[in-house]
Amino acid sequence: MRFVTSGESHGRALTTIVSDVPSGIPFSQDKIDHDLARRQSGYGRGGRMSIEHDTGRVLSGVRYGKTIGSPVTITISNRDWDNWVEIMSQTGEPVEAARVTTPRPGHADLPGMLKIGSHDARDILERASARETAARVAAGALAKAFLGELGVSVHSFVYAIGDVVMQGLPDPAEVSPATVEESDVRCPDADVAERMRAAIDSARAAGESLGGLYCVTARGLVPGLGTYAQADGRLDAELAAAVISIPAMKGVEFGDGFAAALRVGSQVHDEISHEKTRGFFRTSNRAGGLEGGMTNGQPLVMHVAMKPIPTLMKPLATVNIDTLEPADASKERSDVCAVPAAAVVAEAEVAVVLARAYMRKFGADCLSDIRLAVQAYRSRIAL
């Protein structure tokens, strides 16, 4: 399962095309819209979210509520397009007054302008905008639907925003998704969540933005997804690449991650046990469910670091590309904090990678065949 997206932040629509989709997956617009709504919500989001009410329209690949084995196309209309028709027109002459000539530090603006030879940062920022991630979430909804048929679920929660950090982090696999969804910062600790909101309010008042940390988990995975044999097929490498591709993500670790580097081996590796009724299992999950580039049967646990959004209402210094003189960076309508939304996007990316890993091992044509192959595999390894 793979996907490609198209569309600009203020263009007519976003589109995602998901290819290599098995037939027989129950799929409806409700599944897409549920995750699109989760992505849009969250304390600290900006004015754009009060304009857009994202809904996914399935254009191909689904018939009578199930996938039919052909590419699935989903489009998400941009309601804000009506306000940008002239600036984002596909025809006519450029609107000189609409040019963006003061690239933002920390954004794709300047490197992108240099790369493609543009003198208008809007050519870059419209595509580099995190608005594009709505299309990823739509693709992820399909991957989640597929995984759900195989007993796999993907969830996330936020445990740090700015310098407000949830202490005594719980076992990620034990965090209740329902509890997280009740929080507008996606934090399972109500007291910490309240301090996160206060930090976002303070940042907004100061014209600042905030990043944070979140965790993505996948439960119900069989061992052996991925490979030890080829570097480009190692599952941890694919997962890390997928999540880092999300705008503003700056770090990924699995399980104990960097903390493991500071400990002795006996405090890092997960000891193996075996019982007749459950087969092989680990007595801990410091590895985050991955060993040697493969799943080991434990829940997948990924921690992700997101930097503060580069658009600041109190802009940083930059250079005007026309005059080469110092200037304040441009301002776009933006969020103060989008960590809760980013966690939902990461769920989508993780789900697509895991769906692809299942299809590599168990087949890619028909859901019922894949389900039977998974059951046979579980029986063979006594899970």
Side-chain angles (χ1 to χ4, degrees):
M1 189 176 291
R2 301 179 182 278
F3 70 91
V4 61
T5 71
S6 66
E8 287 74 45
S9 179
H10 297 98
R12 190 182 300 273
L14 300 169
T15 299
T16 184
I17 300 177
V18 189
S19 60
D20 304 327
V21 180
S23 68
I25 303 171
F27 192 57
S28 65
Q29 182 174 317
D30 291 347
K31 294 181 184 295
I32 307 168
D33 292 351
H34 174 71
D35 275 356
L36 288 176
R38 293 172 65 232
R39 175 193 168 276
Q40 281 198 276
S41 63
Y43 203 80
R45 299 306 303 272
R48 179 73 184 273
M49 294 303 101
S50 64
I51 298 173
E52 304 295 347
H53 296 283
D54 290 341
T55 184
R57 183 183 179 193
V58 179
L59 302 182
S60 71
V62 176
R63 187 167 185 246
Y64 303 130
K66 291 186 177 181
T67 58
I68 56 176
S70 53
V72 174
T73 305
I74 305 167
T75 185
I76 304 165
S77 295
N78 286 330
R79 294 180 65 180
D80 206 17
W81 158 254
D82 292 341
N83 301 314
W84 291 77
V85 171
E86 185 178 18
I87 294 174
M88 295 301 296
S89 174
Q90 283 90 39
T91 60
E93 295 298 319
V95 179
E96 183 63 24
R99 286 179 62 223
V100 179
T101 59
T102 51
R104 290 163 292 176
H107 205 281
D109 295 354
L110 183 57
M113 295 168 78
L114 297 174
K115 175 181 176 66
I116 69 170
S118 174
H119 295 282
D120 183 355
R122 187 159 301 285
D123 291 339
I124 292 85
L125 66 87
E126 282 290 329
R127 181 60 182 167
S129 166
R131 173 69 183 150
E132 176 266 347
T133 62
R136 305 193 196 196
V137 169
L142 178 55
K144 285 183 178 181
F146 170 66
L147 293 172
E149 294 296 314
L150 304 178
V152 178
S153 61
V154 182
H155 305 285
S156 67
F157 67 92
V158 175
Y159 61 92
I161 288 179
D163 61 1
V164 179
V165 183
M166 184 178 173
Q167 301 299 320
L169 197 65
D171 179 350
E174 298 299 322
V175 174
S176 167
T179 300
V180 172
E181 295 307 319
E182 292 173 358
S183 169
D184 56 5
V185 288
R186 301 187 56 75
C187 177
D189 187 307
D191 292 335
V192 175
E194 187 58 38
R195 290 193 286 121
M196 288 176 172
R197 294 185 198 98
I200 292 169
D201 289 341
S202 295
R204 181 183 288 110
E208 284 284 0
S209 60
L210 293 176
L213 302 169
Y214 60 87
C215 178
V216 181
T217 66
R219 311 173 197 182
L221 297 168
V222 297
L225 299 174
T227 184
Y228 59 89
Q230 295 292 342
D232 60 359
R234 294 176 69 97
L235 192 62
D236 43 7
E238 290 190 81
L239 288 164
V243 171
I244 284 293
S245 76
I246 302 169
M249 302 309 115
K250 301 301 289 185
V252 175
E253 60 181 16
F254 298 94
D256 287 355
F258 284 100
L262 308 179
R263 301 172 185 159
V264 297
S266 60
Q267 297 175 1
V268 170
H269 304 297
D270 302 307
E271 294 184 310
I272 301 171
S273 292
H274 184 274
E275 293 177 0
K276 266 189 177 181
T277 56
R278 60 188 294 192
F280 294 103
F281 64 94
R282 303 298 190 280
T283 57
S284 58
N285 192 22
R286 296 162 179 160
L290 293 165
E291 290 177 315
M294 301 168 290
T295 53
N296 64 9
Q298 291 283 83
L300 171 69
V301 178
M302 296 178 65
H303 299 278
V304 187
M306 178 182 185
K307 72 176 182 179
I309 291 169
T311 299
L312 303 176
M313 295 303 102
K314 186 178 178 182
L316 297 174
T318 187
V319 173
N320 185 299
I321 61 169
D322 287 342
T323 67
L324 301 183
E325 294 294 327
D328 288 338
S330 65
K331 293 188 291 186
E332 292 281 317
R333 184 172 48 211
S334 186
D335 305 320
V336 175
C337 178
V339 178
V344 177
V345 179
E347 288 178 21
E349 289 284 3
V350 167
V352 171
V353 172
L354 293 177
R356 190 159 60 240
Y358 264 92
M359 291 165 64
R360 283 175 182 163
K361 182 160 180 57
F362 299 108
D365 295 325
C366 173
L367 175 61
S368 59
D369 290 346
I370 296 169
R371 190 186 287 116
L372 288 171
V374 172
Q375 291 172 354
Y377 179 68
R378 283 184 173 276
S379 177
R380 178 174 72 77
I381 61 177
L383 282 181

